[in-house]
Amino acid sequence: MSGLQTEGRGISGTLLEVTDLRTHFPTERGVVRAVDGVSFTLERGKTLGVVGESGSGKTVLSRSIMGLLSPRTTILTGSVKFAGEELLGRSAKQMRNVWGSEMAMIFQDPMTSLNPLMKIGKQITEPLKIHLDMPADEAKATAVRLMRDVRIPEPEKRLEQYPYELSGGMRQRVMIAIALACGPTMLFADEPTTALDVTVQAQILELIGEQQRDRNMSVILVTHDLGVVAGHTDEIAVMYGGRLVEKAPTTELFANMKMPYTEALLQSIPRLDQASHTRLTTIPGRPPDLVNPPKGCRFAPRCAYARDRCLEEEPTLTPAEGPGHVFACFYPVGSDEYHERKAELAQRSQTSGVAAGTGSEGGL
Amino acid sequence: MAGSGKAHLRDTDVLLRVEDLVMEFPVGRTGLKVNAVSGISFDIKRGETLGMVGESGCGKSTTGRSIMQLPRPTSGSVVFEGNDLTKLDDSAMRAARTRMQMIFQDPISSLNPRRKVRDIVMEPLTIWKRGDSASRGQLVDSVLEDVGIDPQRAAESQPHQFSGGQCQRISIARSLVLDPSLIICDEPVSALDVSVQAQVLNLLEDLKERYELTLLFIAHDLAVVKNISDRIAVMYLGKLCEISPAEDLYQRPAHPYTRVLLDSIPIPDPTVKVEYAPVEGEPPSPVLPPPGCRFHTRCQYADDQCRTQEPQLRDIGGGHFVACHHPLETPVTLTARS
């Protein structure tokens, strides 16, 4: 897998700068703090993986940046600077010349994101006509070229077909063709392969990587799967409970992860190099309630390494030794307190005869 | 894929034996048919977990459902606890189904949204009039506790008040109350977050021991399947490609398709570069499956024999069977992917 990495090709510099972004949804139950103070920057031509469990805020983050949430139901604060311009506070009308031509998004479910009543061809040519004022015949020729780019066989025939006539993998290729149509500089891919088979997933990730290199796009790849981001990103941001809890270049993150949460996420994935029936490490409990998030570190109630301080005081993002690596934890992986607790846990599981990390998740 | 053949079937202590299973569905009034499952045979020993993997549309879910006779297969036999289920009448079949249960992919939509969770779990006992109401209640509460759901909360709440992982636990409890010997798990963890997925996999292992279960575990994720299975069967377009003890399948995949599936799995380690030869395209339509080996249209090793002659499952040692004319010989070095 060659990945989406691109080292210093084409134009460089910061493309996206997100500062203290908060996305809150007022509901009957109270205010849901889906994204709660997230800051990061993304360079041109780089790929950032955003990882977290369901409800961590990773999808809301990408939609907030792109301005896809209705201002009637959402309270957005902070700043989103794209190519130096502030996007927050712009109306949908003002965002229209950003969508498609500057920023585009690929969604998880290619069936429900395509219009079932409209032919594939029309769905690809529509943004070309609207954003680029292309005449019909030129738009059609461009659509055929785009479909070739995303390796759809027999593009002329496919133009006349409806989404239901295509497989899931082909529909996702159509989604990518639509997203790429107006040559965006920034692509959001929100769980683009979760609904697909593993063989097709590999093809689609390769395709996104190839298009990203050819077009020098920045990509934000949102996923719950650390396996997907490992081979296909330059940097990874881990989200938990609406906050960014760790961010680092991909190889640095996997080599020196600091957050016990990141470590637990990685350890809960079954691996091919483990023997069958290996007891999996689990994260007990569930992600926090975003209406009343816990005091202190939001992961503390589920964290095997949490101490009293973690329940009282919230850790802020602090730099690790590695370049570009930040994390929010008082007792990170590798610290003395971490090792001390780890030894205690190993001791306890030995005496009780229960495998470590089984956790109790019932009744929560 | 491949292929047919029964060289891999065993004789002793077999709980379920499926032979020449065929399931076809008509395509409207065209006279065409979908060849969902085209003559597969396998068995599961008592207490064993058989993993079944393959891409969407390979027939793995249809296989699971046709064992339950939902609907009855077009042809073939399904011998479960000594009875051929395909020959039972409807009422005998209903009784046999209490011994085999199924859990599904989407835990939320497989529970009735309008009922209390405890009643959902109780229903099989009520239908079969097992014990009196007090003993039923006791059994339900103890099973709910075994799967990690608070019985008190289950009595008061509806499925939407539980998370996806908890709903899957509830589905598992419902499948256990009739004390079945076989559970067919159809993608039970693919809709769950990795952290919750690990919880449910560990739970299934625990319950398997406590309730003396035999599992047929259907999934597309090979790492998940390896974790839970003793043996693994790989399906492609309605046929079996390979069946083998779990460890052996990963160490020396013999079918080119198995190798493709293994190589497609993203490895959660950026320093590992897997030699990756992506398979081209997607599986052909099961309405008009290719002749010969069904995988030949996407296989880099295919030759004229593969295009015309269907391979049969044959023994390659150590309980490992493959249906391929040109099986792979080089073992995969697992160190490269660790």
Side-chain angles (χ1 to χ4, degrees):
Chain A
M1 269 173 251
S2 52
L4 309 191
Q5 294 92 337
T6 43
E7 302 274 332
R9 282 192 58 219
I11 337 148
S12 57
T14 303
L15 179 67
L16 181 71
E17 191 175 356
V18 175
T19 316
D20 198 27
L21 182 68
R22 285 167 206 269
T23 310
H24 292 179
F25 301 106
T27 68
E28 284 172 20
R29 221 160 53 81
V31 175
V32 177
R33 301 155 189 275
V35 174
D36 210 17
V38 169
S39 306
F40 68 91
T41 57
L42 180 60
E43 303 287 300
R44 274 176 204 273
K46 295 282 181 187
T47 299
L48 171 72
V50 178
V51 186
E53 290 172 277
S54 311
S56 62
K58 56 191 193 302
T59 293
V60 173
L61 174 69
S62 52
R63 290 184 192 204
S64 305
I65 295 170
M66 224 179 133
L68 294 181
L69 299 166
S70 162
R72 276 178 309 195
T73 54
T74 322
I75 303 166
L76 265 175
T77 57
S79 155
V80 175
K81 282 211 169 101
F82 178 78
E85 284 184 49
E86 180 62 51
L87 294 187
L88 228 60
R90 286 203 189 180
S91 66
K93 205 171 168 187
Q94 292 167 315
M95 283 301 285
R96 287 188 74 164
N97 47 27
V98 176
W99 289 334
S101 46
E102 295 292 337
M103 286 180 165
M105 187 178 268
I106 309 165
F107 298 92
Q108 174 172 352
D109 184 347
M111 188 70 230
T112 53
S113 350
L114 291 170
N115 186 337
L117 300 176
M118 203 190 266
K119 285 180 182 167
I120 299 297
K122 190 161 180 211
Q123 300 195 50
I124 301 181
T125 51
E126 194 176 41
L128 295 169
K129 291 180 191 160
I130 291 174
H131 290 296
L132 305 182
D133 279 329
M134 240 182 229
D137 51 342
E138 196 188 332
K140 193 176 167 187
T142 309
V144 169
R145 208 190 62 232
L146 281 164
M147 287 166 87
R148 285 219 174 85
D149 283 352
V150 298
R151 311 245 164 69
I152 296 177
E154 306 177 80
E156 288 88 355
K157 184 180 145 199
R158 300 286 184 198
L159 283 176
E160 298 302 316
Q161 288 185 321
Y162 289 94
Y164 78 90
E165 296 176 84
L166 305 184
S167 69
M170 281 301 149
R171 282 181 215 142
Q172 196 58 294
R173 287 170 196 270
V174 171
M175 283 294 300
I176 296 173
I178 295 172
L180 297 178
C182 303
T185 41
M186 163 110 234
L187 181 70
F188 293 88
D190 188 356
E191 302 266 11
T193 58
T194 307
L196 306 175
D197 272 316
V198 65
T199 51
V200 182
Q201 162 169 294
Q203 295 168 358
I204 296 286
L205 290 171
E206 285 296 309
L207 174 66
I208 294 175
E210 183 189 289
Q211 293 298 321
Q212 189 247 10
R213 283 189 297 275
D214 289 356
R215 295 159 184 265
N216 196 39
M217 284 187 302
S218 300
V219 174
I220 289 187
L221 181 63
V222 177
T223 172
H224 69 279
D225 188 339
L226 276 167
V228 166
V229 288
H232 294 90
T233 57
D234 299 297
E235 280 185 297
I236 294 176
V238 181
M239 285 191 73
Y240 186 82
R243 304 245 189 198
L244 214 149
V245 294
E246 183 160 20
K247 181 170 179 270
T250 304
T251 42
E252 162 72 12
L253 185 87
F254 279 89
N256 294 310
M257 44 185 63
K258 292 290 179 193
M259 267 298 285
Y261 176 65
T262 314
E263 190 192 51
L265 261 189
L266 185 65
Q267 286 175 348
S268 57
I269 305 175
R271 297 176 68 121
L272 282 178
D273 51 3
Q274 289 168 340
S276 291
H277 307 295
T278 299
R279 193 88 192 162
L280 296 169
T281 310
T282 64
I283 307 176
R286 291 162 58 190
D289 177 7
L290 296 174
V291 175
N292 292 303
K295 201 174 149 195
C297 172
R298 293 182 179 186
F299 183 56
R302 301 171 74 194
C303 180
Y305 304 97
R307 290 163 184 260
D308 291 346
R309 185 181 176 196
C310 307
L311 298 167
E312 289 301 318
E313 205 181 314
E314 185 166 6
T316 51
L317 281 173
T318 42
E321 304 91 68
H325 190 168
V326 290
F327 65 96
C329 181
F330 295 124
Y331 308 109
V333 177
S335 65
D336 293 344
E337 290 87 349
Y338 168 89
H339 285 301
E340 188 189 315
R341 179 63 60 85
K342 193 164 184 153
E344 276 171 37
L345 291 170
Q347 185 96 37
R348 205 183 306 161
S349 72
Q350 248 171 14
T351 48
S352 68
V354 176
T358 305
S360 65
E361 51 278 344
L364 280 163
Chain B
M1 296 339 5
S4 312
K6 294 181 210 172
H8 57 295
L9 295 184
R10 299 164 297 181
D11 294 323
T12 49
D13 215 17
V14 167
L15 179 76
L16 175 78
R17 185 179 177 116
V18 173
E19 283 189 66
D20 302 317
L21 185 76
V22 174
M23 190 77 206
E24 292 163 353
F25 300 100
V27 183
R29 287 188 215 154
T30 56
L32 297 169
K33 60 190 190 221
V34 176
N35 300 277
V37 178
S38 303
I40 67 168
S41 306
F42 61 92
D43 55 20
I44 312 181
K45 284 195 180 189
R46 219 169 269 281
E48 190 177 53
T49 299
L50 175 68
M52 193 162 263
V53 292
E55 288 170 279
S56 310
C58 72
K60 56 191 193 298
S61 292
T62 306
T63 301
R65 302 185 65 103
S66 48
I67 291 169
M68 300 283 289
Q69 312 291 304
L70 290 170
R72 286 178 186 268
T74 312
S75 66
S77 70
V78 177
V79 179
F80 172 69
E81 295 188 324
N83 296 320
D84 187 348
L85 302 181
T86 57
K87 299 205 163 61
L88 297 182
D89 63 32
D90 286 353
S91 75
M93 188 56 227
R94 276 193 69 212
R97 278 198 198 106
T98 64
R99 304 285 299 145
M100 52 206 301
Q101 292 284 316
M102 200 155 181
I103 50 180
F104 301 92
Q105 175 168 359
D106 183 344
I108 296 167
S109 68
S110 55
L111 299 174
N112 185 332
R114 309 183 63 154
R115 305 191 59 195
K116 297 283 197 296
V117 162
R118 191 166 175 275
D119 297 337
I120 293 175
V121 178
M122 176 96 72
E123 188 167 29
L125 294 170
T126 323
I127 290 173
W128 287 95
K129 302 192 176 63
R130 297 270 174 95
D132 54 26
S133 130
S135 70
R136 288 203 280 260
Q138 235 169 12
L139 176 62
V140 168
D141 290 349
S142 90
V143 174
L144 280 169
E145 264 168 33
D146 282 350
V147 300
I149 297 289
D150 176 16
Q152 183 65 38
R153 207 182 138 206
E156 293 160 0
S157 320
Q158 291 168 321
H160 72 90
Q161 289 163 284
F162 291 88
S163 68
Q166 288 173 320
C167 284
Q168 199 56 289
R169 288 163 186 276
I170 294 162
S171 291
I172 294 170
R174 176 176 61 181
S175 74
L176 289 176
V177 290
L178 289 172
D179 195 25
S181 58
L182 175 71
I183 304 226
I184 297 171
C185 313
D186 189 359
E187 301 265 15
V189 296
S190 34
L192 306 175
D193 266 321
V194 282
S195 56
V196 181
Q197 165 179 299
Q199 292 172 1
V200 172
L201 289 171
N202 285 349
L203 176 70
L204 281 170
E205 292 272 28
D206 293 343
L207 295 171
K208 190 187 152 193
E209 203 160 304
R210 190 171 309 168
Y211 289 81
E212 298 177 343
L213 300 170
T214 302
L215 302 181
L216 173 60
F217 191 95
I218 300 166
H220 68 278
D221 184 329
L222 279 120
V224 166
V225 168
K226 181 183 179 191
N227 180 267
I228 198 158
S229 305
D230 301 304
R231 293 169 86 217
I232 295 171
V234 181
M235 281 190 77
Y236 184 81
L237 213 61
K239 295 273 189 186
L240 275 188
C241 305
E242 188 162 8
I243 184 162
S244 155
E247 202 62 52
D248 208 40
L249 186 82
Y250 291 88
Q251 276 171 11
R252 45 172 199 138
H255 203 289
Y257 178 61
T258 310
R259 183 66 202 268
V260 163
L261 281 182
L262 285 171
D263 284 352
S264 306
I265 300 176
I267 308 286
D269 182 345
T271 59
V272 174
K273 294 278 175 257
V274 180
E275 272 181 60
Y276 175 63
V279 63
E280 291 294 315
E282 295 172 15
S285 161
V287 175
L288 295 164
C293 172
R294 291 195 175 178
F295 186 55
H296 82 249
T297 55
R298 296 168 81 196
C299 181
Q300 54 173 321
Y301 306 103
D303 62 13
D304 286 343
Q305 186 188 15
C306 305
R307 285 184 269 274
T308 51
Q309 198 182 329
E310 186 183 340
Q312 301 288 303
L313 276 165
R314 59 193 165 96
D315 192 353
I316 55 166
H320 193 150
F321 296 82
V322 64
C324 177
H325 294 305
H326 311 292
L328 304 171
E329 310 227 323
T330 343
V332 182
T333 42
L334 267 181
T335 46
R337 35 175 85 232
S338 62

